[in-house]
């Protein structure tokens, strides 16, 4: 029996979790349908998910079809949890994108489809809620062709729209033939000559779907079950099975981490090649470490079953790897792994409530960051504060509720702020020599900072011989450079630069007769960790840095007669329209807007457009801050920008 790892993706409230329930019920895995409203669905297992009626964490459940075992992964629909979706994309063989027949194509639908097409993930589309009042078919198809992709292939028609009797009537009509003829020259020729056979049409449909060039569209209702049998047939016949050699070299990836009842880490992993057995010792992580897998389970017929091994193509849970993190490779890393969505661009300070132990809060936030690394907890030891990075306000509410429900910690948050970055404006270098004032450390460190291309990140290089001093000292410098660049001259993360070590030196190990090692006369790693921040910020000062703010690309559709009122507001918010078009009586503006102003634009839009305006936006790039004062971020380190304060904190003495 073939395996298929299938993702269910959608904008929020499209009915994605309800469709998952219907698929499980149709496959005979569950006896009765769960309801999002009643909080008893199979995949929304967190108490918070049941309370809010939204999916927050991805969930895996398996069910058999006639010739395929499907590992179905239900993903969040709310854009605040896009990072959870990103981690799932790397383990999928195919996807079902759910669109509401009532709300139609939403901003999140466009983000998801763009990503699915870029990653060449074969995708079927299920237009849900045809039984709801206001449901539409042809307008939704036209919107998909215009806003998602022209390669949508209707697999039939809907009847009785907006009623409980709504049904899906399968059949490849002229619209399907038109869409497929654009993708296949031989079919186009047969189309022109009027010699198209049904078998030829089905063959082209299957081939182009598996190549992620065509996207079959089904209409139906997860509530009534209409269209679901046809969708299941499409899943079986049109999506490619999982591949991979079970006898090959072990290669897998972790897309989710949770903690068990005893606090142990449990990793969800997709195995691409090879076979992983319980009690195997494996390498994992970006800088590989070895661990022993103590137990393995796989998903089968709606259950999670302990097994002795997990082979290529399968998804399972692993115990025993205590240091495992989300995104870690297992065995041989796969080539070309990259981020699919933008990092979070918001940050907020966590404020503990009365009686909350700060150490307990620290542990809780650290564990949350294990399950979602993009939360990126920053601990400020000076102010005794912790801040977290986020995608939006709903995610902040979820963090707050999780801390209360799972850890018993009552917290609030300060106002959300935008996360900027810094980039070097030029080249700068600095050096301090061992045993020469004002350097109080037994170390010589010289560093040069150069700008690098956008997107390059941070690169550390050596212009000194690696054998000039113990490797541990070089490693201490590199690690400290990367840590220090987390806070630049204005407090923001410094990126897109090359840092080169130009000078090095140390005091060899000294000892007195019969007294052993003399630490006061010998260099240690602490000397290099202490000196490096001072040298690096000195080099950064000479290079200078510019602060860049996150910019969103926006698409705004509104009645054409409201354009006169919209443009001045966009200008005041710093938005720059770059293209303008018309669709009937509507105008479409596309351009860029500072991320910090997106929320304000969304709030003002209904009043400016009589409630008819539609705004979609997504992170696009960072741009230099040109308006107002340059934003500053409070430092959480010992502040190497202030030498006197830094040395008092680090060495408890002042030099120079």
């Amino acid at each position: 029996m073939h395996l298929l790892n299938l993702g269910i993706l959608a904008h929020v409230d499209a009915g994605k979790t309800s469709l998952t329930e219907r698929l499980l019920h149709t496959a005979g895995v569950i006896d009765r349908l769960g309801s999002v409203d009643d909080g008893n669905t199979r995949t929304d297992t967190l108490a918070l998910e049941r309370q809010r009626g939204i999916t927050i964490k991805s969930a895996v459940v398996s069910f058999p079809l006639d010739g395929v075992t499907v590992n179905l992964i239900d993903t969040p629909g709310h854009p605040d949890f896009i990072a959870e979706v990103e981690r799932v994309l790397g383990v999928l063989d195919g996807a079902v994108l759910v669109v509401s027949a009532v709300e139609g194509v939403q901003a999140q639908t466009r983000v998801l489809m763009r990503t699915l097409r870029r990653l060449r993930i074969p995708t079927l589309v299920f237009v849900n809620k045809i039984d709801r009042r206001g449901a539409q078919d042809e307008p939704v198809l036209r919107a998909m062709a215009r806003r998602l992709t022209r390669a949508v292939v209707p697999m039939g028609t809907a009847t009785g729209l907006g009623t409980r009797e709504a049904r899906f009537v399968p059949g490849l009509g002229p619209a399907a033939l038109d869409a497929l003829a654009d993708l296949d020259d031989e079919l186009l020729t047969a189309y022109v000559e009027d010699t198209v056979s049904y078998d030829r049409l089905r063959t082209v449909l299957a081939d182009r779907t598996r190549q992620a060039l065509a996207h079959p569209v089904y209409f139906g209702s997860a509530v009534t079950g209409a269209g679901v049998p046809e969708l299941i047939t499409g899943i079986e016949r049109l999506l490619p099975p999982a591949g991979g050699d079970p006898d090959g070299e072990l290669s897998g990836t972790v897309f989710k981490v949770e903690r068990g009842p005893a606090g142990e880490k449990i990793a969800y992993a997709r195995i691409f090649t090879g076979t992983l057995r319980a009690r195997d010792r494996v390498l994992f992580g970006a800088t590989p470490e070895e661990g022993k897998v103590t137990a393995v389970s796989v998903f089968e017929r709606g259950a999670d079953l302990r097994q002795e091994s997990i082979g290529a193509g399968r998804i399972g849970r692993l115990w025993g790897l205590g240091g495992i993190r989300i995104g870690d490779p297992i065995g041989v890393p796969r080539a070309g792994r990259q981020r699919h969505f933008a990092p979070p661009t918001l940050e907020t300070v966590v404020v503990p409530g009365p009686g909350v132990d700060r150490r307990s809060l620290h542990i809780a936030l650290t564990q949350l960051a294990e399950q979602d690394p993009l939360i990126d907890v920053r601990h400020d030891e000076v102010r005794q504060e912790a801040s977290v990075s986020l995608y939006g306000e709903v995610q902040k509410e979820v963090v707050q509720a999780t801390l209360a429900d799972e850890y018993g910690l009552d917290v609030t948050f300060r106002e959300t702020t935008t996360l900027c970055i810094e980039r070097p404006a030029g080249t700068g270098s600095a050096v301090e020599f061992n045993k020469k004032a004002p350097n109080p450390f037994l170390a010589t460190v010289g560093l040069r900072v150069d700008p690098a291309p956008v997107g390059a990140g941070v690169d550390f290089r050596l212009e000194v011989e690696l054998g000039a001093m113990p490797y541990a000292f070089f490693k201490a410098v590199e690690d400290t450079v990367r840590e220090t660049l987390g806070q630049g001259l204005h407090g923001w993360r410094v990126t897109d630069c090359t840092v080169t070590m130009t000078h090095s030196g140390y005091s060899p190990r000294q000892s007195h007769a019969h007294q052993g090692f003399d630490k006061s006369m010998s260099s240690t790693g602490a000397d290099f960790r202490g000196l490096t921040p001072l040298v690096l910020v000195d080099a950064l000062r000479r290079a200078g840095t510019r602060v860049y703010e996150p910019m969103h690309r926006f698409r705004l559709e509104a009645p054409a007669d409201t354009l006169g009122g919209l443009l001045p507001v966009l200008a005041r918010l710093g938005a720059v329209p770059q293209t303008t078009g018309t669709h009937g009586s509507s105008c479409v503006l596309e351009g860029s807007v500072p991320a910090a102003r997106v929320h304000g634009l969304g709030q003002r839009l209904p009043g400016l457009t009589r409630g008819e305006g539609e705004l979609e936006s997504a992170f696009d790039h960072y741009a230099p801050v040109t308006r107002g004062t340059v934003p500053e971020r409070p430092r959480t380190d010992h502040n190497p920008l202030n030498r006197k304060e830094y040395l008092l904190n680090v060495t408890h003495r002042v030099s120079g």
Side-chain angles (χ1 to χ4, degrees):
M1 182 176 280
H2 293 308
L3 284 168
L4 171 65
N5 296 300
L6 178 71
I8 305 288
L9 294 84
H11 64 81
V12 68
D13 288 336
K16 174 176 46 60
T17 300
S18 297
L19 177 60
T20 299
E21 288 290 307
R22 175 60 68 176
L23 290 171
L24 295 177
H25 184 265
T26 304
V29 171
I30 56 177
D31 295 329
R32 60 184 296 271
L33 291 169
S35 165
V36 173
D37 293 336
D38 295 339
N40 59 357
T41 58
R42 183 64 175 263
T43 52
D44 285 345
T45 56
L46 297 178
L48 190 58
E49 291 177 316
R50 297 180 185 278
Q51 291 166 14
R52 295 187 64 103
I54 60 173
T55 302
I56 297 169
K57 295 290 184 182
S58 58
V60 184
V61 64
S62 177
F63 61 88
L65 299 178
D66 286 346
V68 183
T69 295
V70 178
N71 285 327
L72 189 148
I73 308 176
D74 186 16
T75 62
H78 198 285
D80 280 15
F81 307 105
I82 197 70
E84 191 75 17
V85 179
E86 173 179 332
R87 293 189 278 270
V88 168
L89 289 177
V91 305
L92 297 182
D93 303 305
V96 173
L97 180 65
V98 185
V99 179
S100 168
V102 180
E103 289 85 11
V105 175
Q106 302 289 294
Q108 182 74 348
T109 320
R110 284 169 54 84
V111 171
L112 292 169
M113 181 56 98
R114 278 200 304 266
T115 307
L116 289 164
R117 286 178 60 80
R118 186 170 69 247
L119 297 176
R120 304 295 293 268
I121 296 175
T123 303
L124 311 181
V125 180
F126 185 75
V127 180
N128 191 26
K129 301 185 179 181
I130 63 171
D131 59 317
R132 296 285 184 89
R133 181 180 299 176
Q136 296 180 309
D137 52 358
E138 289 299 326
V140 174
L141 275 174
R142 288 195 296 270
M144 285 193 288
R146 179 166 57 90
R147 301 178 65 185
L148 299 182
T149 170
R150 291 185 61 191
V152 291
V153 182
M155 298 299 291
T157 57
T159 63
L161 287 170
T163 70
R164 295 287 292 185
E165 287 70 42
R167 294 291 179 266
F168 177 65
V169 181
L172 293 174
L177 181 55
D178 289 343
L180 290 172
D182 287 341
L183 302 171
D184 188 274
D185 291 340
E186 291 183 14
L187 184 63
L188 179 59
T189 301
Y191 183 27
V192 172
E193 297 174 352
D194 196 22
T195 59
V196 177
S197 69
Y198 183 76
D199 288 343
R200 176 62 184 163
L201 197 60
R202 300 290 302 190
T203 300
V204 172
L205 173 65
D207 288 345
R208 296 301 180 261
T209 301
R210 290 179 178 180
Q211 296 169 21
L213 296 176
H215 303 286
V217 179
Y218 300 83
F219 287 84
S221 167
V223 173
T224 67
V228 173
E230 291 79 11
L231 175 64
I232 288 176
T233 300
I235 291 171
E236 288 181 301
R237 297 179 180 176
L238 300 178
L239 296 180
D245 179 7
D247 298 319
E249 197 168 17
L250 179 65
S251 177
T253 188
V254 174
F255 65 93
K256 178 178 177 178
V257 172
E258 64 184 17
R259 288 188 176 267
E264 75 280 15
K265 276 190 181 179
I266 305 171
Y268 287 66
R270 159 79 187 263
I271 304 299
F272 295 101
T273 59
T275 299
L276 178 61
R277 297 172 179 83
R279 295 175 295 281
D280 276 356
R281 299 195 70 84
V282 298
L283 293 175
F284 65 90
T287 52
E289 61 178 284
E290 189 176 74
K292 181 180 179 181
V293 177
T294 57
V296 170
S297 72
V298 298
F299 297 96
E300 197 166 302
R301 297 192 66 86
D304 177 19
L305 306 176
R306 290 292 180 103
Q307 299 281 1
E308 282 300 306
S309 65
I310 174 175
R314 302 209 71 155
I315 286 176
R317 302 204 300 166
L318 313 177
W319 283 260
L321 304 178
I324 199 83
R325 291 179 61 85
I326 289 171
D328 278 353
I330 295 174
V332 179
R334 298 183 80 207
R337 281 198 80 250
Q338 59 180 358
R339 294 187 53 82
H340 312 310
F341 298 108
T345 56
L346 302 174
E347 185 177 58
T348 184
V349 174
V350 183
V351 180
V356 171
D357 177 56
R358 292 184 181 274
R359 183 174 178 277
S360 298
L361 179 59
H362 177 102
I363 293 171
L365 289 172
T366 301
Q367 290 188 359
L368 288 183
E370 287 176 357
Q371 298 171 34
D372 187 352
L374 293 181
I375 285 180
D376 189 27
V377 181
R378 295 174 74 235
H379 295 286
D380 185 342
E381 301 300 335
V382 178
R383 298 173 184 80
Q384 292 292 297
E385 291 178 346
S387 56
V388 293
S389 53
L390 304 164
Y391 280 98
E393 296 299 312
V394 172
Q395 191 180 14
K396 183 161 64 173
E397 294 173 21
V398 168
V399 170
Q400 183 181 34
T402 302
L403 289 172
D405 296 344
E406 297 186 15
Y407 297 93
L409 301 174
D410 178 28
V411 302
T412 55
F413 298 94
R414 291 192 193 150
E415 183 180 359
T416 303
T417 57
T418 304
L419 277 171
C420 299
I421 63 169
E422 293 181 51
R423 291 183 177 129
T427 295
S429 56
V431 60
E432 296 205 22
F433 293 97
N434 184 16
K435 298 181 180 177
K436 287 191 177 180
N439 177 12
F441 300 100
L442 293 177
T444 294
V445 174
L447 298 170
R448 184 178 67 248
V449 176
D450 295 292
V454 172
V458 175
D459 187 22
F460 181 79
R461 300 177 182 177
L462 295 178
E463 272 186 7
V464 294
E465 291 187 11
L466 193 57
M469 63 181 186
Y471 173 75
F473 295 162
F474 285 114
K475 180 65 172 167
V477 172
E478 179 179 358
D479 290 347
T480 307
V481 162
R482 295 186 183 278
E483 181 181 347
T484 304
L485 288 177
Q487 302 179 78
L489 303 183
H490 299 277
W492 306 105
R493 177 175 61 89
V494 182
T495 188
D496 300 334
C497 64
T498 300
V499 179
T500 305
M501 190 170 186
T502 57
H503 297 75
S504 67
Y506 74 109
S507 294
R509 184 182 179 94
Q510 302 289 325
S511 60
H512 299 297
H514 311 298
Q515 294 182 7
F517 172 53
D518 187 347
K519 185 176 178 181
S520 67
M521 298 174 62
S522 311
S523 297
T524 65
D527 289 298
F528 289 90
R529 288 190 294 272
L531 179 60
T532 296
L534 291 173
V535 177
L536 182 57
V537 297
D538 199 7
L540 279 174
R541 276 197 182 100
R542 296 175 185 184
T545 65
R546 295 191 71 179
V547 175
Y548 291 71
E549 63 179 332
M551 301 291 291
H552 278 220
R553 182 160 189 83
F554 74 86
R555 182 184 187 278
L556 196 161
E557 187 167 346
D561 61 357
T562 64
L563 188 60
L566 270 173
L567 290 175
V569 174
L570 290 173
R572 287 196 294 273
L573 292 173
V576 181
Q578 292 161 343
T579 63
T580 306
T582 57
H583 288 291
S585 61
S586 296
C587 67
V588 177
L589 299 176
E590 294 188 3
S592 58
V593 60
R597 308 279 168 69
V598 171
H599 185 63
L601 176 58
Q603 286 183 316
R604 298 196 61 179
L605 190 62
L608 293 167
T609 62
R610 302 189 298 274
E612 298 178 43
E614 290 185 13
L615 173 69
E616 58 183 72
S617 72
F619 172 83
D620 188 64
H621 66 284
Y622 287 95
V625 174
T626 57
R627 299 159 56 101
T629 58
V630 175
E632 303 279 336
R633 187 192 201 189
R635 301 192 70 89
T636 61
D637 58 7
H638 291 305
N639 191 17
L641 294 171
N642 184 325
R643 187 181 184 97
K644 181 177 180 180
E645 175 187 326
Y646 176 83
L647 291 174
L648 276 172
N649 284 314
V650 174
T651 68
H652 307 295
R653 64 179 184 272
V654 180
S655 177

PDB file of all heavy atoms in Angstrom, residues 512-530:
ATOM      1  N   HIS A 512      53.383  28.297  38.704  1.00  0.00           N
ATOM      2  CA  HIS A 512      54.472  28.463  39.663  1.00  0.00           C
ATOM      3  C   HIS A 512      54.878  27.098  40.187  1.00  0.00           C
ATOM      4  O   HIS A 512      54.065  26.171  40.237  1.00  0.00           O
ATOM      5  CB  HIS A 512      54.029  29.354  40.845  1.00  0.00           C
ATOM      6  CG  HIS A 512      53.632  30.745  40.412  1.00  0.00           C
ATOM      7  ND1 HIS A 512      54.517  31.624  39.828  1.00  0.00           N
ATOM      8  CD2 HIS A 512      52.430  31.393  40.475  1.00  0.00           C
ATOM      9  CE1 HIS A 512      53.885  32.762  39.565  1.00  0.00           C
ATOM     10  NE2 HIS A 512      52.615  32.640  39.942  1.00  0.00           N
ATOM     11  N   ALA A 513      56.136  26.980  40.540  1.00  0.00           N
ATOM     12  CA  ALA A 513      56.621  25.702  41.072  1.00  0.00           C
ATOM     13  C   ALA A 513      55.791  25.282  42.271  1.00  0.00           C
ATOM     14  O   ALA A 513      55.581  26.071  43.191  1.00  0.00           O
ATOM     15  CB  ALA A 513      58.092  25.830  41.467  1.00  0.00           C
ATOM     16  N   HIS A 514      55.314  24.045  42.208  1.00  0.00           N
ATOM     17  CA  HIS A 514      54.538  23.421  43.290  1.00  0.00           C
ATOM     18  C   HIS A 514      53.169  24.067  43.516  1.00  0.00           C
ATOM     19  O   HIS A 514      52.473  23.726  44.457  1.00  0.00           O
ATOM     20  CB  HIS A 514      55.323  23.439  44.622  1.00  0.00           C
ATOM     21  CG  HIS A 514      56.720  22.946  44.491  1.00  0.00           C
ATOM     22  ND1 HIS A 514      57.016  21.664  44.089  1.00  0.00           N
ATOM     23  CD2 HIS A 514      57.916  23.584  44.679  1.00  0.00           C
ATOM     24  CE1 HIS A 514      58.340  21.514  44.057  1.00  0.00           C
ATOM     25  NE2 HIS A 514      58.906  22.662  44.399  1.00  0.00           N
ATOM     26  N   GLN A 515      52.802  25.063  42.682  1.00  0.00           N
ATOM     27  CA  GLN A 515      51.514  25.727  42.913  1.00  0.00           C
ATOM     28  C   GLN A 515      50.523  25.529  41.761  1.00  0.00           C
ATOM     29  O   GLN A 515      49.376  25.882  41.873  1.00  0.00           O
ATOM     30  CB  GLN A 515      51.723  27.232  43.139  1.00  0.00           C
ATOM     31  CG  GLN A 515      52.496  27.518  44.428  1.00  0.00           C
ATOM     32  CD  GLN A 515      52.647  29.007  44.672  1.00  0.00           C
ATOM     33  OE1 GLN A 515      52.067  29.818  43.955  1.00  0.00           O
ATOM     34  NE2 GLN A 515      53.414  29.378  45.681  1.00  0.00           N
ATOM     35  N   GLY A 516      50.975  24.978  40.630  1.00  0.00           N
ATOM     36  CA  GLY A 516      50.055  24.704  39.531  1.00  0.00           C
ATOM     37  C   GLY A 516      49.708  25.935  38.719  1.00  0.00           C
ATOM     38  O   GLY A 516      50.398  26.952  38.749  1.00  0.00           O
ATOM     39  N   PHE A 517      48.590  25.860  38.000  1.00  0.00           N
ATOM     40  CA  PHE A 517      48.153  26.850  37.022  1.00  0.00           C
ATOM     41  C   PHE A 517      47.881  28.199  37.674  1.00  0.00           C
ATOM     42  O   PHE A 517      47.157  28.302  38.652  1.00  0.00           O
ATOM     43  CB  PHE A 517      46.889  26.303  36.346  1.00  0.00           C
ATOM     44  CG  PHE A 517      46.196  27.269  35.438  1.00  0.00           C
ATOM     45  CD1 PHE A 517      46.878  27.920  34.415  1.00  0.00           C
ATOM     46  CD2 PHE A 517      44.842  27.516  35.576  1.00  0.00           C
ATOM     47  CE1 PHE A 517      46.225  28.787  33.568  1.00  0.00           C
ATOM     48  CE2 PHE A 517      44.177  28.383  34.736  1.00  0.00           C
ATOM     49  CZ  PHE A 517      44.876  29.022  33.725  1.00  0.00           C
ATOM     50  N   ASP A 518      48.450  29.289  37.076  1.00  0.00           N
ATOM     51  CA  ASP A 518      48.229  30.651  37.552  1.00  0.00           C
ATOM     52  C   ASP A 518      47.290  31.365  36.580  1.00  0.00           C
ATOM     53  O   ASP A 518      47.699  31.821  35.513  1.00  0.00           O
ATOM     54  CB  ASP A 518      49.559  31.395  37.643  1.00  0.00           C
ATOM     55  CG  ASP A 518      49.396  32.771  38.298  1.00  0.00           C
ATOM     56  OD1 ASP A 518      48.240  33.224  38.443  1.00  0.00           O
ATOM     57  OD2 ASP A 518      50.414  33.382  38.656  1.00  0.00           O
ATOM     58  N   LYS A 519      46.017  31.435  36.947  1.00  0.00           N
ATOM     59  CA  LYS A 519      44.999  31.996  36.061  1.00  0.00           C
ATOM     60  C   LYS A 519      45.242  33.481  35.800  1.00  0.00           C
ATOM     61  O   LYS A 519      44.930  33.992  34.715  1.00  0.00           O
ATOM     62  CB  LYS A 519      43.621  31.789  36.697  1.00  0.00           C
ATOM     63  CG  LYS A 519      42.454  32.221  35.833  1.00  0.00           C
ATOM     64  CD  LYS A 519      41.132  31.893  36.512  1.00  0.00           C
ATOM     65  CE  LYS A 519      39.951  32.358  35.678  1.00  0.00           C
ATOM     66  NZ  LYS A 519      38.661  32.057  36.334  1.00  0.00           N
ATOM     67  N   SER A 520      45.836  34.193  36.738  1.00  0.00           N
ATOM     68  CA  SER A 520      46.029  35.630  36.587  1.00  0.00           C
ATOM     69  C   SER A 520      47.050  35.965  35.517  1.00  0.00           C
ATOM     70  O   SER A 520      47.112  37.096  35.046  1.00  0.00           O
ATOM     71  CB  SER A 520      46.450  36.252  37.919  1.00  0.00           C
ATOM     72  OG  SER A 520      47.741  35.785  38.284  1.00  0.00           O
ATOM     73  N   MET A 521      47.867  34.994  35.112  1.00  0.00           N
ATOM     74  CA  MET A 521      48.907  35.235  34.108  1.00  0.00           C
ATOM     75  C   MET A 521      48.658  34.460  32.817  1.00  0.00           C
ATOM     76  O   MET A 521      49.473  34.525  31.889  1.00  0.00           O
ATOM     77  CB  MET A 521      50.279  34.840  34.678  1.00  0.00           C
ATOM     78  CG  MET A 521      50.703  35.635  35.897  1.00  0.00           C
ATOM     79  SD  MET A 521      52.240  35.014  36.608  1.00  0.00           S
ATOM     80  CE  MET A 521      53.377  35.271  35.245  1.00  0.00           C
ATOM     81  N   SER A 522      47.547  33.742  32.733  1.00  0.00           N
ATOM     82  CA  SER A 522      47.275  32.879  31.583  1.00  0.00           C
ATOM     83  C   SER A 522      45.925  33.235  30.964  1.00  0.00           C
ATOM     84  O   SER A 522      44.948  33.485  31.669  1.00  0.00           O
ATOM     85  CB  SER A 522      47.254  31.404  32.012  1.00  0.00           C
ATOM     86  OG  SER A 522      48.398  31.088  32.779  1.00  0.00           O
ATOM     87  N   SER A 523      45.887  33.251  29.622  1.00  0.00           N
ATOM     88  CA  SER A 523      44.629  33.543  28.923  1.00  0.00           C
ATOM     89  C   SER A 523      43.636  32.404  29.086  1.00  0.00           C
ATOM     90  O   SER A 523      44.011  31.231  29.094  1.00  0.00           O
ATOM     91  CB  SER A 523      44.895  33.761  27.432  1.00  0.00           C
ATOM     92  OG  SER A 523      45.714  34.883  27.220  1.00  0.00           O
ATOM     93  N   THR A 524      42.380  32.777  29.188  1.00  0.00           N
ATOM     94  CA  THR A 524      41.288  31.796  29.215  1.00  0.00           C
ATOM     95  C   THR A 524      40.230  32.227  28.201  1.00  0.00           C
ATOM     96  O   THR A 524      40.276  33.343  27.665  1.00  0.00           O
ATOM     97  CB  THR A 524      40.641  31.696  30.608  1.00  0.00           C
ATOM     98  OG1 THR A 524      39.998  32.946  30.912  1.00  0.00           O
ATOM     99  CG2 THR A 524      41.684  31.380  31.676  1.00  0.00           C
ATOM    100  N   GLY A 525      39.290  31.346  27.969  1.00  0.00           N
ATOM    101  CA  GLY A 525      38.202  31.702  27.062  1.00  0.00           C
ATOM    102  C   GLY A 525      37.450  32.927  27.531  1.00  0.00           C
ATOM    103  O   GLY A 525      36.941  33.707  26.718  1.00  0.00           O
ATOM    104  N   ALA A 526      37.358  33.124  28.842  1.00  0.00           N
ATOM    105  CA  ALA A 526      36.644  34.275  29.389  1.00  0.00           C
ATOM    106  C   ALA A 526      37.282  35.595  28.950  1.00  0.00           C
ATOM    107  O   ALA A 526      36.580  36.598  28.770  1.00  0.00           O
ATOM    108  CB  ALA A 526      36.598  34.186  30.908  1.00  0.00           C
ATOM    109  N   ASP A 527      38.610  35.615  28.785  1.00  0.00           N
ATOM    110  CA  ASP A 527      39.270  36.833  28.316  1.00  0.00           C
ATOM    111  C   ASP A 527      38.790  37.205  26.916  1.00  0.00           C
ATOM    112  O   ASP A 527      38.517  38.373  26.624  1.00  0.00           O
ATOM    113  CB  ASP A 527      40.790  36.633  28.314  1.00  0.00           C
ATOM    114  CG  ASP A 527      41.375  36.590  29.723  1.00  0.00           C
ATOM    115  OD1 ASP A 527      41.264  37.595  30.445  1.00  0.00           O
ATOM    116  OD2 ASP A 527      41.929  35.543  30.094  1.00  0.00           O
ATOM    117  N   PHE A 528      38.698  36.222  26.039  1.00  0.00           N
ATOM    118  CA  PHE A 528      38.265  36.498  24.666  1.00  0.00           C
ATOM    119  C   PHE A 528      36.774  36.826  24.609  1.00  0.00           C
ATOM    120  O   PHE A 528      36.357  37.691  23.831  1.00  0.00           O
ATOM    121  CB  PHE A 528      38.608  35.296  23.775  1.00  0.00           C
ATOM    122  CG  PHE A 528      40.083  35.160  23.523  1.00  0.00           C
ATOM    123  CD1 PHE A 528      40.877  34.407  24.366  1.00  0.00           C
ATOM    124  CD2 PHE A 528      40.684  35.821  22.459  1.00  0.00           C
ATOM    125  CE1 PHE A 528      42.244  34.296  24.152  1.00  0.00           C
ATOM    126  CE2 PHE A 528      42.053  35.714  22.235  1.00  0.00           C
ATOM    127  CZ  PHE A 528      42.837  34.954  23.080  1.00  0.00           C
ATOM    128  N   ARG A 529      35.985  36.142  25.445  1.00  0.00           N
ATOM    129  CA  ARG A 529      34.559  36.466  25.477  1.00  0.00           C
ATOM    130  C   ARG A 529      34.317  37.854  26.056  1.00  0.00           C
ATOM    131  O   ARG A 529      33.352  38.532  25.688  1.00  0.00           O
ATOM    132  CB  ARG A 529      33.803  35.412  26.288  1.00  0.00           C
ATOM    133  CG  ARG A 529      33.683  34.061  25.572  1.00  0.00           C
ATOM    134  CD  ARG A 529      32.729  33.125  26.294  1.00  0.00           C
ATOM    135  NE  ARG A 529      33.238  32.725  27.606  1.00  0.00           N
ATOM    136  CZ  ARG A 529      34.024  31.679  27.824  1.00  0.00           C
ATOM    137  NH1 ARG A 529      34.386  30.918  26.792  1.00  0.00           N
ATOM    138  NH2 ARG A 529      34.439  31.378  29.034  1.00  0.00           N
ATOM    139  N   GLY A 530      35.174  38.284  26.969  1.00  0.00           N
ATOM    140  CA  GLY A 530      35.018  39.606  27.568  1.00  0.00           C
ATOM    141  C   GLY A 530      35.480  40.725  26.657  1.00  0.00           C
ATOM    142  O   GLY A 530      34.858  41.797  26.606  1.00  0.00           O
TER     143      GLY A 530
END
